[in-house]
Amino acid sequence: WSANPTFITIYRVARDNIFWVVHATASGTSNATTSTLTLPFIGVNVTNLNNWCVGRGQDNAVEVSCTFRIVFNTATLDVYKGPGNTAWTASGTKYMSGQGFYRI
């Protein structure tokens, strides 16, 4: 980010699951084709399973249905501008909002 976005983030722990919400309240300025957020806890490593969810975002002033992928055994949430690991534009405005859950 060459100018950071503003987010409201909420999470809730229920037994061994984390439910999370990320909501952008102001877009940022993109300077990379990738976007990664840090989760509050490390997700368990589940063999042959990716935890995906869909949200709403903006890429270079264009509305997109962004996807979120939790990298298991890490606290990393990769965000793409669309399905299939679609890269972001490295300029213009960028934001993402979504919700999901994962096992800890």
Side-chain angles (χ1 to χ4, degrees), residues 1 5 24 26-28 56-58 63 66 88 93-97:
W1 303 96
S27 59
R56 179 175 179 253
Q58 187 177 92
E63 292 290 319
C66 56
W88 296 89
T93 57
K94 176 166 65 174
Y95 77 80
M96 62 283 303
S97 294

Side-chain angles (χ1 to χ4, degrees), residues 13-80:
V13 178
R15 294 188 168 224
D16 60 352
N17 290 298
I18 297 285
F19 296 87
W20 57 269
V21 175
V22 173
H23 177 68
T25 57
S27 59
T29 304
S30 179
N31 66 355
T33 59
T34 59
S35 187
T36 302
L37 304 175
T38 302
L39 296 165
F41 298 95
I42 293 174
V44 297
N45 190 14
V46 180
T47 304
N48 298 320
L49 176 67
N50 284 310
N51 191 340
W52 288 90
C53 68
V54 178
R56 179 175 179 253
Q58 187 177 92
D59 179 46
N60 198 21
V62 175
E63 292 290 319
V64 296
S65 294
C66 56
T67 56
F68 298 80
R69 181 178 71 95
I70 294 171
V71 180
F72 283 114
N73 214 26
T74 72
T76 301
L77 181 65
D78 291 333
V79 187
Y80 303 96

